[in-house]
Amino acid sequence: MKFKKLPAFFLVFIITAVLSCDIINWGGGLKYSTGHFPDDPVNLTEFNTEYDDYNSDIPYFGETFPLCFSSNRNSNGGDYDIIYKLMSVEFSRKSGKMKFGVGNQSHLDVYIKNANIAEALTKINTRYDEFGPCLIPVGDGNQPNGSGSISFQNYILLYANNESGDHNIRLTHNLVTNSYDTIINLDYMNSAANDFYPALDVERRHIYWSSDREGDYSIYATQLNQSDNILSDILNSGENSIVKVAILSSEGDDKCPSVTNNIMVFSSNRPGGYGGFDLYYSCYENGSWSQPVNFGSTINSEYDEYRPIVRSHPWHFDNDMMLFSSNRPGGKGGFDLYCVGIARN
C-alpha cells in the first residue's frame, strides 16, 4: 500500500537530549553573539531529490550531526527506505548568515562515531516501506580494532515497516556490539491497523505514536516502565495501558508526534487549517498537554506539511530549529525537507 501525495502512514521522529552546538567563527570582527534560525522556511536542497524526502529525525544537535529520513529515491519512486546523512549547521558570528549542508568525512570524529547508522539501515531497509525513524542515543561504545579501539555511539532505533500489510513499529539497537543484529516487533504498540512514528518524551516516561486503529489517525501514548535501562523500559511496557491523547485528537487525521522539552509538534488535516496537512504544537504544562495551536501561514501552506521535528539549543540561538517536509511548489519534486526557526517555549 503506497502513497504519493497524501501518505497513509507518516513520519515520525525522534527524541533525545540536545547536546552542544558550536557556532562557527569565520574570521574576526564578530558582530553576532547569538544565532537566529530563519523565520521563513528554507529548502534543504542538498538533502532533497525529485522524489519524496521526509520523515526526518535528529538524535542531537551539533555543528555536524546525523540526520535520518524516509525517501523513495532508492527505488525511483517505489518503496520508501530510511536514508542517513550527516547534516551541518553553521552560523557566522561575523555576517549573521546561516548555512545548512551535508557533512562529510572532513568531520572525521562525527563521521566515525555514527558510521554504524549506515550499517543499521542495511539491516532494516527492505522492499517494503520504512517510515518514522526515531534514533535514541544511549551512550558510547568501544570496539577493539587492531592495536586500539573505535569509539561509536550506542543507539536504539525505532521505525515502522509495512511488510505485514499495515505498518508495525519495530526496534533494533547496537548496545552489545557496534552491529545491529536483532530486529524486534513491539507487539504491545501495534494493532491490526497502521502504527508508526514513535516518539519519547524528554524524561523518557512516555512513548507516543500515530495509529488509525479507531478509524481516523490519532496520537496514542503508553507509560514506560522506569529503570536504569531504557531498552528494557521500551521492551517491557506491554502491560501498561494504551490511551488516545484526547486533547490532541480532532475530526481529522493527527499524525507524526515529536517531543522536545515541553513541546509536542505534529501534523493534522483538522478543520481550520490552511489546506492539506498543517503543523501544530502543544505544550506540556501542569501534567497535561495544552490545546493544539496552528503554526500559522508563515510555516503552513495550502499544500501538505508533515513530520515536524524541533531541536532546541538555548545557549547559542535565540529561537529553536524545526525540520519538516512539504510538497509545496518550489522544491525539487514530491516532498522536500525544510528548516525554519520557531519561538522557544
Side-chain angles (χ1 to χ4, degrees), residues 6-7 10-12 54-55 197 210 217-219 248-250 252-258 264-270 276-282 292-295 300 303-309 322-326 335:
L6 284 180
F10 246 79
L11 320 353
V12 105
Y54 53 80
N55 269 334
Y197 308 125
S210 305
Y217 282 95
S218 296
I219 295 171
L248 304 178
S249 299
S250 70
D253 292 314
D254 306 299
K255 302 181 179 181
C256 314
S258 178
M264 177 187 289
V265 292
F266 64 96
S267 304
S268 178
N269 63 355
R270 63 184 60 195
F277 279 83
D278 280 4
L279 305 184
Y280 290 79
Y281 69 91
S282 173
V293 177
N294 189 295
F295 270 106
N300 291 310
Y303 297 89
D304 297 317
E305 280 70 48
Y306 259 97
R307 184 57 160 95
I309 300 166
M322 181 167 69
L323 298 182
F324 66 95
S325 304
S326 178
F335 280 84

Side-chain angles (χ1 to χ4, degrees), residues 35-303:
H36 184 82
F37 291 107
D39 296 318
D40 294 317
V42 175
N43 188 297
L44 298 178
T45 55
E46 291 191 38
F47 295 91
N48 294 316
T49 65
E50 62 187 286
Y51 300 102
D52 291 328
D53 304 293
Y54 53 80
N55 269 334
S56 59
D57 176 48
I58 14 181
Y60 53 81
F61 191 42
E63 176 191 346
T64 300
F65 51 88
L67 172 69
C68 288
F69 56 95
S70 293
S71 176
N72 57 1
R73 63 181 65 181
N74 290 345
S75 60
N76 297 319
D79 64 279
Y80 289 82
D81 292 329
I82 296 175
I83 306 296
Y84 162 59
K85 300 285 186 182
L86 286 178
M87 182 172 180
S88 176
V89 176
E90 299 178 347
F91 173 75
S92 169
R93 296 177 64 188
K94 184 176 181 179
S95 68
K97 293 182 178 180
M98 186 83 68
K99 288 185 178 181
F100 303 97
V102 176
N104 53 47
Q105 293 190 40
S106 63
H107 305 91
L108 191 58
D109 55 339
V110 181
Y111 177 84
I112 292 175
K113 192 169 185 178
N114 293 283
N116 61 72
I117 299 175
E119 189 251 343
L121 301 189
T122 66
K123 304 288 183 67
I124 69 174
N125 284 331
T126 67
R127 61 187 179 91
Y128 301 97
D129 292 325
E130 282 75 39
F131 283 143
C134 177
L135 272 172
I136 307 168
V138 289
D140 294 326
N142 287 280
Q143 182 169 294
N145 181 31
S147 58
S149 64
I150 296 176
S151 176
F152 57 89
Q153 178 71 55
N154 292 127
Y155 285 113
I156 297 170
L157 173 57
L158 302 175
Y159 67 101
N161 171 283
N162 67 344
E163 182 177 0
S164 65
D166 298 305
H167 270 86
N168 289 316
I169 296 172
R170 294 179 172 183
L171 176 150
T172 187
H173 65 85
N174 69 334
L175 303 186
V176 179
T177 68
N178 198 19
S179 296
Y180 296 77
D181 295 325
T182 303
I183 295 177
I184 302 168
N185 276 314
L186 295 179
D187 292 332
Y188 71 90
M189 295 175 63
N190 296 318
S191 66
N194 291 297
D195 297 276
F196 43 48
Y197 308 125
L200 295 176
D201 63 15
V202 174
E203 295 182 344
R204 297 178 175 178
R205 294 183 179 275
H206 297 86
I207 188 166
Y208 299 88
W209 71 98
S210 305
S211 178
D212 62 348
R213 62 185 63 191
E214 296 181 28
D216 296 328
Y217 282 95
S218 296
I219 295 171
Y220 291 80
T222 190
Q223 185 171 343
L224 296 180
N225 299 328
Q226 292 295 294
S227 72
D228 294 329
N229 188 327
I230 184 62
L231 177 62
S232 176
D233 294 343
I234 295 173
L235 292 177
N236 298 310
S237 294
E239 71 277 11
N240 298 330
S241 61
I242 293 174
V243 297
K244 181 165 70 174
V245 186
I247 197 168
L248 304 178
S249 299
S250 70
E251 302 173 27
D253 292 314
D254 306 299
K255 302 181 179 181
C256 314
S258 178
V259 183
T260 300
N261 297 330
N262 71 327
I263 185 174
M264 177 187 289
V265 292
F266 64 96
S267 304
S268 178
N269 63 355
R270 63 184 60 195
Y274 294 89
F277 279 83
D278 280 4
L279 305 184
Y280 290 79
Y281 69 91
S282 173
C283 297
Y284 194 77
E285 300 171 336
N286 301 318
S288 63
W289 292 103
S290 65
Q291 190 69 37
V293 177
N294 189 295
F295 270 106
S297 59
T298 299
I299 292 176
N300 291 310
S301 71
E302 62 183 296
Y303 297 89

Side-chain angles (χ1 to χ4, degrees), residues 19-30:
L19 304 184
S20 72
C21 168
D22 295 329
I23 294 182
I24 307 303
N25 178 356
W26 290 328
L30 303 183

